[in-house]
């Protein structure tokens, strides 16, 4: 059995054998071949220079930027937020690997409260959908959805439902099925009564939009009020299942199309997503009416290369689009913005003009530079000279920041024509701005900060320094031990666990135990026996060393000598300090005694 996980090693090994690291990672990260490695932009932190490395030969990944590393199981755990058992279970199902049954149930340990919540949300979604389509309660809601142009097919596709105006519809439904109502309240389905004990439905008199996780399980709801009232939309609170900043509405249905097209259409609201889906965009997701988060941008980057932002055409929508541009670009995504005319939101635009015109608007989305200029232009009256000049002054820094001289020329000529100003004078002003920008920022990339591009708020990740001799020797030993059982046996006899760095000693102990079970050298397989994030990252880092794999006892002895020398050297340094203190205090006999101890240690 795998330690502490209750999963037989045979299952873990079968999962790793069938889950090629390149295939696993390629579903989320665009990889390019560089010698014996594959490289790409890290999905776990924002970067512009690829530091994320996959080694097919050893079946591991490692990021030189953020330090994350591991095998295919570890990658799925990190990218999908799975626990180790969840990742193994999902990957086993994907590869048709049978999971043996334990006594009275599956061997995969689950979080019982989480499982009950999943079940409750699934049943609740079915209840609300049934009430919408088959009862008197849902008639008004169905009429509202029909007025928005929705047919039965799309209502079923998005599992839209209705929560009646009553206080206890869901309370009774869940009580009859023996759910713990306190758990249901904590999970966001019910509210506690303020006046006396008991619970009431959180959603009442609302059209219900189920929110799914990326695997298609219902984890929350958004309820839209019928008629007037506030709030217009009520979302489930965050819970054991639902983290708003890490969730994108409709990702479970859109992910296949997103991966195929490497493109996402991003909306703000539920109805906007449904309209875009009806118009043929099956790569559409939404941030559920809240601001885009860094986590959501990173999630999108793990699946796509381009995002088309399709927000409302009013002032608030344009301002929101301006805010998401830097977030998406910092995550390494190409960004285009589709501008809805008549200040309409995407849903209203689709209903007013139809699918074909809606598709045209989305597909002809403009570059971020063009959008910024459109956005700025709305703040100026271009019929007046003052308006023209102030617009030009605000537009030039945006154009000057572009690296491509061709792009700068295109936008400057557009600006010249639009404002009836001399192209040459605009170009001169633009060049002056570029010179001042270069003086401020310095020329070229700041190579030392190439990994400090988004999430590392406390400053840059330092470039690896030259390691002390004993540290480098320990890493060299472990690198050879990971690749050769005989090298591990030799080090075990001569050094055992006498590594100076605690994590290295722990890895060595795990390696001795691993080989003692008669297992062959296999870094990916060994990592699955660790179940410790820090140790896995250390093993990944050591595995990336370009050491020659061949060894002899002389190589190992040299490294072992360095490792054993360090504690003695520390002891000598301490003795020297003691000797100086003894001399200063006038205790010359003690100083002479310490001096002879130092000589003996140095001889060793």
């Amino acid at each position: 059995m795998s330690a502490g996980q209750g999963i037989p090693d045979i299952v873990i090994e079968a999962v790793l054998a069938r889950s090629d690291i390149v295939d696993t990672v390629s579903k989320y990260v665009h990889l390019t071949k560089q010698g014996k490695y594959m490289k790409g932009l890290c999905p776990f932190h924002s970067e512009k220079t690829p530091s994320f490395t996959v080694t097919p030969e050893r079946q591991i990944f490692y990021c030189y930027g953020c330090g994350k590393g591991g095998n295919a199981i570890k990658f799925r755990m990190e990218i999908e937020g799975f626990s180790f058992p969840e990742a193994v279970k999902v990957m086993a199902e994907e590869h048709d690997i049978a999971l043996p049954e334990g006594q009275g149930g599956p061997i995969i340990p689950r979080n019982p409260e989480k499982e009950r919540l999943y079940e409750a949300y699934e049943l609740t979604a079915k209840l609300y959908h049934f009430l919408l389509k088959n009862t008197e309660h849902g008639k008004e809601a169905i009429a509202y959805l029909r007025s928005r142009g929705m047919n039965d097919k799309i209502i079923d596709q998005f599992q839209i439902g209705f929560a009646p105006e009553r206080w206890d519809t869901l309370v009774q439904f869940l009580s009859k099925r023996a759910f713990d109502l306190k758990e249901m309240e904590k999970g966001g389905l019910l509210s506690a009564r303020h006046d006396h004990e008991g619970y009431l439905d959180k959603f009442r008199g609302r059209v219900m939009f189920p929110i799914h996780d990326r695997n298609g399980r219902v984890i929350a709801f958004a309820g839209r009020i019928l008629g007037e009232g506030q709030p217009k939309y009520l979302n489930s609170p965050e819970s054991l299942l639902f983290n708003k900043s890490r969730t994108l509405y409709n990702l479970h249905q859109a992910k296949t199309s997103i991966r195929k097209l490497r493109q996402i259409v991003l909306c703000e609201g539920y109805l906007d997503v449904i309209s875009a889906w009806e118009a043929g965009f099956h790569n559409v997701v939404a941030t559920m009416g809240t601001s885009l988060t860094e986590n959501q941008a990173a999630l999108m980057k793990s699946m796509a290369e381009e995002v088309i932002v399709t927000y409302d055409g009013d002032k608030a929508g344009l301002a929101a689009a301006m805010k998401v541009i830097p977030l998406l670009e910092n995550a390494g995504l190409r960004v285009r913005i589709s501008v809805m005319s008549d200040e309409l939101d995407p849903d209203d635009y689709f209903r007013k003009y139809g699918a074909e015109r809606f598709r045209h608007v989305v597909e002809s989305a403009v570059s971020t530079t063009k959008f910024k200029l459109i956005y700025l232009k709305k703040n100026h009256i271009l019929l007046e000279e003052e308006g023209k000049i102030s617009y030009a002054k605000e537009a030039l820094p945006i154009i000057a920041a572009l690296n491509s001289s061709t792009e700068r020329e295109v936008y400057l000529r557009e600006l010249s024509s639009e404002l009836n100003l001399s192209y040459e004078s605009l170009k001169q002003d633009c060049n002056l701005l570029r010179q001042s920008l270069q003086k401020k920022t310095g020329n070229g990339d700041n190579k030392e900060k190439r990994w400090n591009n988004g999430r590392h708020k406390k400053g840059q990740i330092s470039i690896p320094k030259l390691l002390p001799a004993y540290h480098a020797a320990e890493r060299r030993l472990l690198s050879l031990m990971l690749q050769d059982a005989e090298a591990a046996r030799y080090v075990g006899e001569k050094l055992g666990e006498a590594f100076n760095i605690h994590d290295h000693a722990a890895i060595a102990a795990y390696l001795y135990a691993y080989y003692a079970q008669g297992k062959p050298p296999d870094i990916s397989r060994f990592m699955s026996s660790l179940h410790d994030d820090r140790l896995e990252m250390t093993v990944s880092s050591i595995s990336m060393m370009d050491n020659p794999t061949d060894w002899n006892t002389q190589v190992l002895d040299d490294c072992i000598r360095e490792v054993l020398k360090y504690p003695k050297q520390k002891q000598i340094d301490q003795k020297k300090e003691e000797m100086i203190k003894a001399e200063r205090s006038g205790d010359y006999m003690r100083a002479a005694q310490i001096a002879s101890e130092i000589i003996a240690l140095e001889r060793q």
Side-chain angles (χ1 to χ4, degrees), residues 499-540:
F499 287 78
N500 297 292
I501 292 162
H502 178 74
D503 284 358
H504 292 172
I507 291 164
Y510 276 114
L511 261 175
Y512 301 145
Y514 175 83
Y515 287 130
Q517 293 167 38
K519 292 176 180 174
D522 185 327
I523 292 167
S524 173
R525 192 171 160 189
F526 169 66
M527 281 173 131
S528 284
S529 69
L530 296 174
H531 304 302
D532 181 299
D533 285 350
R534 201 172 68 223
L535 294 185
E536 285 177 30
M537 283 166 74
T538 306
V539 170
S540 299

Coordinates of all heavy atoms in Angstrom, one line a residue, residues 499-540:
F499 N 23.5 13.1 5.9 CA 23.4 14.3 5.0 C 23.3 15.5 5.9 O 22.6 15.4 7.0 CB 22.3 14.2 4.0 CG 22.5 13.2 2.9 CD1 22.3 11.9 3.1 CD2 22.9 13.7 1.6 CE1 22.5 11.0 2.1 CE2 23.1 12.8 0.6 CZ 22.9 11.4 0.8
N500 N 23.9 16.6 5.6 CA 23.8 17.8 6.5 C 22.5 18.5 6.3 O 22.0 19.2 7.2 CB 24.9 18.8 6.1 CG 26.3 18.1 6.4 OD1 26.6 17.9 7.6 ND2 27.0 17.8 5.4
I501 N 21.9 18.5 5.1 CA 20.6 19.2 4.9 C 19.4 18.2 5.2 O 19.4 17.1 4.6 CB 20.5 19.7 3.4 CG1 21.6 20.8 3.3 CG2 19.2 20.2 3.1 CD1 22.0 21.2 1.9
H502 N 18.6 18.6 6.0 CA 17.5 17.8 6.5 C 16.7 17.1 5.4 O 16.4 15.9 5.4 CB 16.5 18.6 7.4 CG 15.4 17.8 8.0 ND1 15.5 16.9 9.0 CD2 14.1 17.8 7.6 CE1 14.3 16.3 9.2 NE2 13.4 16.8 8.4
D503 N 16.3 17.9 4.4 CA 15.5 17.4 3.3 C 16.3 16.3 2.5 O 15.7 15.3 2.0 CB 15.0 18.5 2.3 CG 13.9 19.3 2.9 OD1 13.4 19.0 4.0 OD2 13.5 20.3 2.3
H504 N 17.6 16.5 2.4 CA 18.4 15.5 1.6 C 18.5 14.2 2.4 O 18.4 13.1 1.8 CB 19.8 16.1 1.4 CG 19.9 17.3 0.5 ND1 21.0 18.0 0.3 CD2 18.9 17.8 -0.3 CE1 20.8 18.9 -0.6 NE2 19.5 18.9 -1.0
A505 N 18.6 14.3 3.7 CA 18.6 13.1 4.6 C 17.3 12.4 4.4 O 17.3 11.1 4.3 CB 18.9 13.5 6.0
A506 N 16.2 13.1 4.4 CA 14.9 12.5 4.3 C 14.7 11.8 2.9 O 14.2 10.6 2.9 CB 13.8 13.5 4.5
I507 N 15.2 12.4 1.9 CA 15.1 11.8 0.5 C 15.9 10.6 0.5 O 15.5 9.6 -0.1 CB 15.5 12.9 -0.6 CG1 14.5 14.0 -0.7 CG2 15.7 12.2 -1.9 CD1 14.9 15.2 -1.4
A508 N 17.1 10.6 1.0 CA 18.0 9.4 1.1 C 17.3 8.3 1.8 O 17.3 7.1 1.3 CB 19.3 9.8 1.7
A509 N 16.7 8.6 2.9 CA 16.0 7.5 3.7 C 14.9 6.9 2.9 O 14.7 5.7 2.8 CB 15.4 8.1 5.0
Y510 N 14.1 7.7 2.2 CA 13.0 7.2 1.3 C 13.6 6.4 0.2 O 13.0 5.4 -0.2 CB 12.2 8.4 0.7 CG 11.1 8.9 1.6 CD1 11.2 10.2 2.1 CD2 10.0 8.1 1.9 CE1 10.2 10.7 3.0 CE2 9.0 8.6 2.7 CZ 9.1 9.9 3.3 OH 8.1 10.4 4.1
L511 N 14.8 6.8 -0.4 CA 15.4 6.1 -1.5 C 15.8 4.7 -1.0 O 15.7 3.7 -1.7 CB 16.6 6.9 -2.0 CG 16.3 7.7 -3.3 CD1 17.5 8.5 -3.7 CD2 15.9 6.8 -4.5
Y512 N 16.5 4.6 0.2 CA 16.9 3.3 0.7 C 15.8 2.4 0.8 O 15.8 1.2 0.4 CB 17.6 3.5 2.0 CG 18.9 4.4 2.0 CD1 19.2 5.2 3.1 CD2 19.7 4.4 0.9 CE1 20.3 6.0 3.1 CE2 20.8 5.3 0.9 CZ 21.1 6.1 2.0 OH 22.2 6.9 2.0
A513 N 14.7 2.9 1.4 CA 13.5 2.1 1.6 C 12.9 1.6 0.2 O 12.4 0.5 0.1 CB 12.4 2.9 2.4
Y514 N 12.9 2.6 -0.7 CA 12.3 2.3 -2.1 C 13.1 1.2 -2.8 O 12.5 0.2 -3.3 CB 12.4 3.6 -2.9 CG 12.0 3.5 -4.4 CD1 10.6 3.6 -4.7 CD2 12.9 3.3 -5.4 CE1 10.2 3.5 -6.0 CE2 12.6 3.2 -6.7 CZ 11.2 3.3 -7.0 OH 10.8 3.2 -8.3
Y515 N 14.4 1.2 -2.7 CA 15.2 0.2 -3.4 C 15.2 -1.1 -2.6 O 15.3 -2.2 -3.2 CB 16.7 0.7 -3.6 CG 16.9 1.7 -4.6 CD1 17.6 2.9 -4.4 CD2 16.3 1.5 -5.9 CE1 17.8 3.8 -5.4 CE2 16.5 2.4 -6.9 CZ 17.2 3.6 -6.7 OH 17.4 4.5 -7.6
A516 N 15.0 -1.0 -1.3 CA 14.9 -2.2 -0.4 C 13.7 -3.1 -0.8 O 13.7 -4.3 -0.6 CB 14.8 -1.8 1.0
Q517 N 12.7 -2.5 -1.5 CA 11.5 -3.2 -1.9 C 11.7 -3.9 -3.3 O 10.8 -4.4 -3.9 CB 10.3 -2.3 -2.0 CG 9.8 -1.8 -0.6 CD 8.9 -0.6 -0.8 OE1 8.0 -0.6 -1.7 NE2 9.0 0.4 0.1
G518 N 13.0 -3.7 -3.8 CA 13.3 -4.4 -5.1 C 12.8 -3.6 -6.3 O 12.7 -4.1 -7.4
K519 N 12.5 -2.3 -6.1 CA 12.0 -1.5 -7.2 C 13.1 -0.9 -8.0 O 14.2 -0.6 -7.5 CB 11.1 -0.3 -6.7 CG 9.8 -0.8 -6.0 CD 9.0 0.3 -5.4 CE 7.7 -0.2 -4.8 NZ 7.0 0.9 -4.1
P520 N 12.9 -0.8 -9.3 CA 14.0 -0.3 -10.2 C 14.0 1.2 -10.1 O 13.1 1.9 -9.7 CB 13.5 -0.7 -11.6 CG 12.0 -0.7 -11.5 CD 11.7 -1.1 -10.1
P521 N 15.2 1.9 -10.6 CA 15.2 3.3 -10.6 C 14.2 3.9 -11.5 O 14.1 3.5 -12.6 CB 16.6 3.6 -11.1 CG 17.4 2.3 -11.0 CD 16.4 1.2 -11.0
D522 N 13.3 4.8 -10.9 CA 12.2 5.4 -11.7 C 11.8 6.7 -10.9 O 11.1 6.6 -9.9 CB 11.1 4.5 -11.9 CG 10.0 5.0 -12.8 OD1 9.8 6.3 -12.7 OD2 9.3 4.3 -13.4
I523 N 12.3 7.8 -11.4 CA 12.2 9.0 -10.6 C 10.7 9.4 -10.4 O 10.2 9.7 -9.3 CB 12.9 10.2 -11.3 CG1 14.4 10.0 -11.2 CG2 12.5 11.5 -10.6 CD1 15.2 10.9 -12.0
S524 N 9.9 9.2 -11.4 CA 8.5 9.5 -11.4 C 7.8 8.6 -10.3 O 7.0 9.1 -9.5 CB 7.8 9.4 -12.8 OG 6.4 9.5 -12.7
R525 N 8.1 7.4 -10.4 CA 7.5 6.4 -9.5 C 7.9 6.6 -8.0 O 7.1 6.6 -7.1 CB 7.9 5.0 -9.9 CG 7.2 3.8 -9.3 CD 7.6 2.6 -10.1 NE 7.4 1.4 -9.3 CZ 7.8 0.2 -9.6 NH1 8.5 0.0 -10.7 NH2 7.5 -0.9 -8.9
F526 N 9.2 6.9 -7.9 CA 9.7 7.2 -6.5 C 9.0 8.4 -5.9 O 8.7 8.4 -4.7 CB 11.2 7.5 -6.6 CG 11.8 8.0 -5.3 CD1 11.8 7.3 -4.2 CD2 12.3 9.3 -5.3 CE1 12.4 7.8 -3.0 CE2 12.9 9.8 -4.1 CZ 12.9 9.1 -2.9
M527 N 8.8 9.5 -6.7 CA 8.1 10.7 -6.2 C 6.8 10.4 -5.6 O 6.3 11.1 -4.7 CB 8.0 11.7 -7.3 CG 9.3 12.4 -7.6 SD 9.1 13.5 -9.0 CE 9.8 15.0 -8.4
S528 N 6.1 9.4 -6.2 CA 4.7 9.1 -5.7 C 4.7 8.5 -4.3 O 3.7 8.4 -3.7 CB 4.0 8.1 -6.7 OG 3.6 8.9 -7.8
S529 N 5.9 8.1 -3.9 CA 6.0 7.5 -2.5 C 6.3 8.5 -1.5 O 6.3 8.2 -0.3 CB 7.1 6.4 -2.5 OG 8.4 7.0 -2.6
L530 N 6.5 9.8 -1.9 CA 7.0 10.8 -0.9 C 5.8 11.5 -0.2 O 5.8 11.7 1.0 CB 7.8 11.9 -1.7 CG 9.1 11.4 -2.2 CD1 9.8 12.5 -3.0 CD2 10.1 10.9 -1.1
H531 N 4.8 11.9 -1.0 CA 3.6 12.6 -0.4 C 4.0 13.8 0.5 O 3.5 14.0 1.6 CB 2.7 11.7 0.4 CG 2.3 10.5 -0.3 ND1 1.6 10.6 -1.5 CD2 2.5 9.2 -0.2 CE1 1.3 9.4 -2.0 NE2 1.9 8.5 -1.2
D532 N 5.0 14.6 0.0 CA 5.5 15.7 0.7 C 5.9 16.8 -0.4 O 6.8 16.5 -1.1 CB 6.7 15.4 1.6 CG 7.2 16.6 2.4 OD1 7.7 17.6 1.7 OD2 7.2 16.5 3.6
D533 N 5.2 17.9 -0.4 CA 5.4 18.9 -1.5 C 6.9 19.3 -1.6 O 7.4 19.4 -2.6 CB 4.5 20.1 -1.3 CG 3.1 19.8 -1.6 OD1 2.8 18.7 -2.2 OD2 2.2 20.6 -1.3
R534 N 7.4 19.6 -0.4 CA 8.8 20.2 -0.4 C 9.8 19.2 -0.9 O 10.7 19.5 -1.7 CB 9.2 20.7 1.0 CG 10.3 21.7 1.0 CD 10.5 22.3 2.3 NE 11.1 21.4 3.3 CZ 10.7 21.2 4.5 NH1 9.8 22.0 5.0 NH2 11.3 20.3 5.3
L535 N 9.7 17.9 -0.4 CA 10.6 16.9 -0.9 C 10.4 16.6 -2.4 O 11.4 16.4 -3.1 CB 10.4 15.6 -0.1 CG 10.7 15.6 1.4 CD1 10.5 14.2 2.0 CD2 12.1 16.2 1.7
E536 N 9.2 16.6 -2.9 CA 9.0 16.4 -4.3 C 9.6 17.5 -5.1 O 10.2 17.3 -6.2 CB 7.4 16.4 -4.6 CG 6.8 15.1 -4.1 CD 5.3 15.0 -4.4 OE1 4.8 15.7 -5.3 OE2 4.6 14.3 -3.6
M537 N 9.5 18.8 -4.7 CA 10.1 19.9 -5.4 C 11.6 19.8 -5.4 O 12.3 20.0 -6.4 CB 9.7 21.2 -4.7 CG 8.3 21.7 -5.1 SD 7.6 23.0 -4.1 CE 8.5 24.4 -4.7
T538 N 12.2 19.3 -4.3 CA 13.6 19.1 -4.2 C 14.1 18.0 -5.1 O 15.1 18.2 -5.8 CB 14.1 18.8 -2.7 OG1 13.5 19.8 -1.9 CG2 15.6 18.8 -2.6
V539 N 13.4 16.9 -5.1 CA 13.7 15.8 -6.0 C 13.6 16.3 -7.5 O 14.5 16.0 -8.3 CB 12.8 14.6 -5.8 CG1 13.0 13.5 -6.9 CG2 13.1 14.0 -4.4
S540 N 12.6 17.0 -7.8 CA 12.4 17.6 -9.2 C 13.6 18.4 -9.6 O 14.2 18.3 -10.7 CB 11.2 18.4 -9.3 OG 10.0 17.7 -9.0

